[in-house]
Amino acid sequence: MEIFQIGVLLLDATLRTSTPLILAALAGIFSERSGTINLALEGMMLGGAFSAATIAFYTGNPWIGLLAAIATTIGLSLIHGFACITQRGNQVVSGMAINILMSGLTALVGIALFAQGGKTPALDKASRFQPITLPGAEAVRDVPILGPIYFELLSGHNILVYIAFFAVPTAWWVMYRTRFGLRLRAVGENPGAVDTAGISVILMRYRAVVCSGVLVGMSGAYLSTAQGASFLQDMTAGKGYIALAAMVFGKWRPFPALFACLLFGFLDAAATRLQGVILPGIGEVPVQLVQALPYVLTVILLAGFIGRATPPKALGRAYVKER
């Protein structure tokens, strides 16, 4: 029973650690399915996290902080879109430029506003997204097997966790069951044919990067106003790149990307729980090895077990309208 309880707690931590990855991976899917490479997820997450923490601190309202994060990341997405879609610039360079810019700018503005070394002041409970207890969770808490699953695993998460998991089937439905999704995927595969049909390739790609901005904004806000209680310099710690890896691992599809994010989230949660554990014949597990485990296994999985991942045919190619 103790092993079962540990397993439930580990899965519970997995849901929390995978949430920002899920939202960021979905953001990447929307952008790249339309043909626009989005390596800027890391920087956009930083910008969203900083905006959410700052505005939530000043207003005392996490929802206003969330809106500020989304506004920030939509703005960054439009800048990326202007460079890549309108000006037909190098999409990889544009994405990396945003990452570098936001890494420095968030720290600089944080020092200017709060003089705390680039971090924001700690948020109180009213300024953060709090856990939600689902109906009947307390009543079934002590019921064997089902009680811990419902009380610990399903209940007790903040609203952004539930939004992230609800966003996966929603993204699938939008992508595969709506006219917008059909056109978005067509723009990423054959923009010339879409243009011939009288649909604006440029407009579709801008709409896709805006959708991407909304999702990655929620991902950044989660880090600083839900999972954490403030913004810390470079607090994303590579999560934007891991989300990109999950997107590729999932072959640019929402549900496989979800499973990839859960896998990486599980590795992250397991790494946290392995710190200080003494293994027979080995001794205490080095903290540095434990912290590197999710990143090392990410590289191993992508290099050896992903199989053939075929991106959208027009990915990374700027569209030039034929005259």
Side-chain angles (χ1 to χ4, degrees), residues 37-77:
I37 297 174
N38 196 350
L39 289 183
L41 293 179
E42 179 81 2
M44 291 180 185
M45 288 175 71
L46 276 175
F50 179 79
S51 296
T54 301
I55 300 303
F57 171 74
Y58 282 123
T59 64
N61 190 322
W63 289 102
I64 298 178
L66 175 62
L67 292 177
I70 292 174
T72 299
T73 49
I74 287 178
L76 291 171
S77 295

Side-chain angles (χ1 to χ4, degrees), residues 9-23:
L9 293 176
L10 184 58
L11 291 177
D12 179 61
T14 298
L15 297 183
R16 294 194 301 270
T17 54
S18 62
T19 293
L21 301 180
I22 294 169
L23 291 168

Side-chain angles (χ1 to χ4, degrees), residues 91-312:
Q91 298 178 8
V92 173
V93 172
S94 174
M96 292 306 299
I98 290 175
N99 290 341
I100 296 169
L101 172 66
M102 296 313 297
S103 177
L105 188 61
T106 51
L108 179 64
V109 176
I111 292 173
L113 290 178
F114 306 110
Q116 294 186 11
K119 63 179 291 188
T120 61
L123 300 175
D124 56 26
K125 285 188 176 182
S127 303
R128 298 178 59 204
F129 290 102
Q130 295 299 311
I132 298 173
T133 301
L134 297 180
E138 291 288 349
V140 301
R141 182 175 184 176
D142 297 325
V143 176
I145 308 298
L146 293 179
I149 291 176
Y150 187 63
F151 180 79
E152 295 285 354
L153 187 58
L154 300 181
S155 180
H157 300 287
N158 63 75
I159 186 65
L160 293 182
V161 175
Y162 297 112
I163 288 175
F165 283 89
F166 179 73
V168 175
T170 303
W172 176 87
W173 180 80
V174 170
M175 197 79 66
Y176 293 98
R177 291 292 184 270
T178 66
R179 180 181 298 178
F180 169 75
L182 174 62
R183 291 176 175 179
L184 183 145
R185 289 183 289 119
V187 165
E189 295 291 340
N190 193 340
V194 173
D195 191 29
T196 302
I199 301 169
S200 172
V201 173
I202 303 299
L203 180 59
M204 283 303 303
R205 287 186 171 178
Y206 267 109
R207 292 171 68 184
V209 297
V210 168
C211 291
S212 177
V214 172
L215 289 163
V216 76
M218 290 191 287
S219 177
Y222 174 82
L223 293 176
S224 60
T225 60
Q227 187 178 45
S230 65
F231 174 84
L232 303 175
Q233 186 175 354
D234 293 326
M235 70 181 304
T236 50
K239 287 182 174 62
Y241 299 112
I242 293 179
L244 285 171
M247 178 192 67
V248 177
F249 189 87
K251 302 180 180 179
W252 292 270
R253 292 178 294 174
F255 281 106
L258 166 66
F259 296 131
C261 291
L262 288 173
L263 173 60
F264 298 145
F266 175 80
L267 296 175
D268 195 7
T272 301
R273 294 194 172 273
L274 281 175
Q275 292 188 25
V277 173
I278 299 177
L279 299 179
I282 299 177
E284 184 175 338
V285 180
V287 174
Q288 294 82 359
L289 176 62
V290 171
Q291 292 175 338
L293 184 62
Y295 304 97
V296 173
L297 291 183
T298 296
V299 174
I300 293 174
L301 289 170
L302 287 175
F305 300 99
I306 188 174
R308 182 176 177 82
T310 304

